[in-house]
């Protein structure tokens, strides 16, 4: 990010000795913390004996500089100041040989910019209402928003202007209804000095439809007669990767579930091992994307039942393709996704 430079072309014609525009003054007014200090730059254009600068900052601190040089030289006068915005008032005096000194008033603002922080989380994204909320640690200038749908078209790609809302003010951007599901949201949020922070969200995920593998009781080994079901799923996964993989780096998540027959912890372990078996089969049969798996046992049933109920609808697996960890409704715990 470039430091914005505000040029102060100071008119010197008010003094006969300065009619030739003997100096040119510019100001580095906004500087990021750790990248220097705000500074006056005095460029010498014509022969002078020297110059003096006296300044008083808005917090009462006073500065005095004495310098000079030959035509073509530029002197940099750094203004040591704390983080934040300050106003300066003062006077620049130019000394000439055989002529009265020329004086000019100085009045300007500077800002030493601390780190720009963008505060936003997944909870700030409302896909149904097509809104994204966020906050900035400095006054808000604008935002650039790109919303990509899984149709391949941008649902929105534009700029939203703000009015310098103070740091910490809740801000919001919206977009029109997309054609298809939202795959990616990219936000660049700028302060009033054109510094920015960015974030990307991938709220999209797709469930791969499939036939459930029927395991032997208490076993995680895939029966030979069930492998054709997984072969069909491998093909569907490949089709999804071909369609969506150009937009983002995709991952495959395998979720295992059981019914309520048996101890809860044993069911979770069994569902974990079955999910791992399916993941390993997909890998060995051509799935070329990162694969993660988790077992939920009886704790996230498709069809709630009493304990010790043999319900086939709950003996299932889910195959989800997404970019980030998938959003799970009514998850009984935070998944510990295991990479294959």
């Amino acid at each position: 990010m470039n430091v914005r430079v505000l040029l102060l072309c100071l008119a010197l014609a008010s003094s006969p000795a300065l009619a030739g525009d003997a100096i040119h003054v510019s100001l580095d007014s906004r500087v990021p913390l750790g990248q220097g200090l705000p500074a006056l730059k005095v460029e010498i254009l014509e022969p002078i004996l020297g110059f003096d600068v006296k300044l008083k900052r808005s917090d009462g601190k006073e500065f005095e500089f004495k310098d000079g040089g030959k035509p073509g030289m530029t002197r940099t006068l750094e203004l040591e100041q704390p983080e934040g915005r300050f106003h300066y008032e003062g006077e620049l005096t130019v000394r000439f040989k055989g002529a009265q000194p020329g004086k000019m008033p100085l009045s300007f603002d500077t800002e030493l910019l601390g780190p720009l922080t963008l505060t936003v989380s997944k909870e700030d994204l409302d896909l149904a209402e097509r809104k994204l909320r966020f906050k900035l640690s400095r006054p808000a200038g604008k935002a650039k928003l790109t919303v990509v749908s899984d149709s391949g078209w941008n649902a929105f790609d534009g700029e939203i202007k703000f009015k310098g809302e103070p740091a910490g003010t809740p801000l919001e951007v919206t977009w029109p209804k997309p054609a298809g599901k939202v795959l990616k949201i990219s936000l660049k949020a700028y302060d009033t000095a054109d510094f920015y922070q960015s974030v990307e969200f991938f709220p999209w995920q797709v469930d791969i439809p499939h036939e459930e593998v029927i395991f032997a009781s208490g076993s995680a080994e895939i029966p030979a007669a069930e492998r054709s079901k997984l072969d069909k799923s491998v093909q569907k996964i490949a089709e999804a990767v071909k369609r969506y993989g150009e937009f983002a780096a995709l991952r495959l998540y395998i979720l295992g579930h059981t019914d309520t027959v048996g101890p809860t912890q044993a069911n979770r372990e069994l569902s974990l091992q079955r999910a791992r078996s399916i993941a390993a089969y997909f890998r060995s049969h051509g799935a070329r994307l990162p694969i993660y798996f988790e077992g939920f046992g009886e704790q996230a049933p498709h069809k709630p039942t009493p304990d010790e109920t043999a319900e086939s609808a709950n003996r299932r697996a889910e195959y989800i393709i997404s970019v980030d960890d998938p959003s799970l409704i009514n998850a009984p715990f935070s998944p510990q996704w295991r990479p294959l």
Side-chain angles (χ1 to χ4, degrees):
M1 294 178 286
N2 294 323
V3 177
R4 298 181 65 192
V5 177
L6 174 64
L7 295 180
L8 299 182
C9 299
L10 301 177
L12 309 183
S14 59
S15 171
L18 301 179
D21 286 339
I23 63 171
H24 176 267
V25 178
S26 62
L27 174 67
D28 287 349
S29 62
R30 295 182 175 94
V31 181
L33 191 66
Q35 297 184 26
L37 292 167
L40 282 172
K41 293 186 176 180
V42 180
E43 181 183 2
I44 301 170
L45 305 177
E46 301 292 342
I48 62 174
L49 291 179
F51 64 86
D52 305 325
V53 175
K54 293 184 178 181
L55 296 168
K56 187 172 183 178
R57 200 167 64 198
S58 51
D59 63 353
K61 184 174 177 59
E62 296 183 350
F63 298 82
E64 185 171 352
F65 303 93
K66 293 182 180 291
D67 214 328
K70 298 179 180 180
M73 300 179 69
T74 298
R75 299 305 192 192
T76 299
L77 313 179
E78 289 192 333
L79 304 171
E80 293 189 7
Q81 68 174 58
E83 180 182 340
R85 185 180 182 90
F86 292 87
H87 180 72
Y88 290 80
E89 295 280 349
E91 187 176 65
L92 185 150
T93 302
V94 181
R95 292 177 275 108
F96 296 90
K97 184 177 181 179
Q100 291 295 316
K103 298 180 182 292
M104 70 182 71
L106 297 176
S107 180
F108 55 87
D109 294 314
T110 65
E111 189 171 10
L112 188 59
L113 303 168
L116 178 62
T117 302
L118 170 62
T119 303
V120 60
S121 68
K122 289 183 178 180
E123 289 69 31
D124 296 312
L125 175 61
D126 188 337
L127 280 180
E129 296 296 325
R130 303 188 298 280
K131 296 179 181 179
L132 178 60
R133 293 173 289 272
F134 62 95
K135 295 178 182 179
L136 282 174
S137 62
R138 296 206 289 263
K142 62 184 178 183
K144 292 183 179 180
L145 179 69
T146 303
V147 180
V148 181
S149 72
D150 61 5
S151 67
W153 296 94
N154 286 348
F156 184 82
D157 188 5
E159 186 172 283
I160 300 94
K161 296 286 188 181
F162 295 111
K163 300 178 180 179
E165 288 85 344
T169 300
L171 305 168
E172 184 177 274
V173 291
T174 62
W175 58 91
K177 186 176 181 179
K181 295 181 179 180
V182 172
L183 173 62
K184 177 181 176 181
I185 298 173
S186 299
L187 173 70
K188 282 186 177 180
Y190 293 75
D191 66 7
T192 52
D194 270 351
F195 294 92
Y196 72 87
Q197 289 288 351
S198 60
V199 66
E200 290 185 339
F201 289 99
F202 296 87
W204 168 94
Q205 65 186 51
V206 60
D207 295 286
I208 302 297
H210 60 278
E211 293 183 82
E212 296 296 347
V213 174
I214 299 174
F215 291 90
S217 178
S219 173
E221 183 177 350
I222 299 170
E226 299 295 301
R227 293 173 186 171
S228 62
K229 297 177 180 178
L230 293 179
D231 292 337
K232 293 177 182 178
S233 295
V234 169
Q235 184 176 352
K236 291 179 181 178
I237 290 167
E239 291 170 356
V241 171
K242 182 178 180 180
R243 179 178 179 184
Y244 303 117
E246 63 179 292
F247 302 114
L250 304 179
R251 299 177 178 182
L252 174 62
Y253 292 83
I254 311 298
L255 292 66
H257 303 273
T258 69
D259 59 24
T260 59
V261 176
T264 299
Q265 188 56 40
N267 281 336
R268 184 176 178 191
E269 181 61 27
L270 178 60
S271 67
L272 176 66
Q273 295 307 318
R274 287 176 174 175
R276 188 185 189 287
S277 293
I278 293 172
Y281 189 95
F282 287 157
R283 169 67 75 238
S284 64
H285 285 73
R288 295 290 178 259
L289 69 169
I291 302 177
Y292 296 81
F293 61 94
E294 175 62 290
F296 291 85
E298 62 186 58
Q299 294 175 273
H302 178 70
K303 182 179 180 180
T305 67
D307 197 20
E308 299 298 327
T309 301
E311 174 54 64
S312 59
N314 291 333
R315 297 192 294 270
R316 74 196 199 283
E318 296 178 79
Y319 313 153
I320 299 175
I321 291 180
S322 64
V323 178
D324 298 323
D325 291 351
S327 298
L328 305 177
I329 299 175
N330 298 324
F333 51 81
S334 297
Q336 297 179 0
W337 297 109
R338 282 100 166 156
L340 185 65

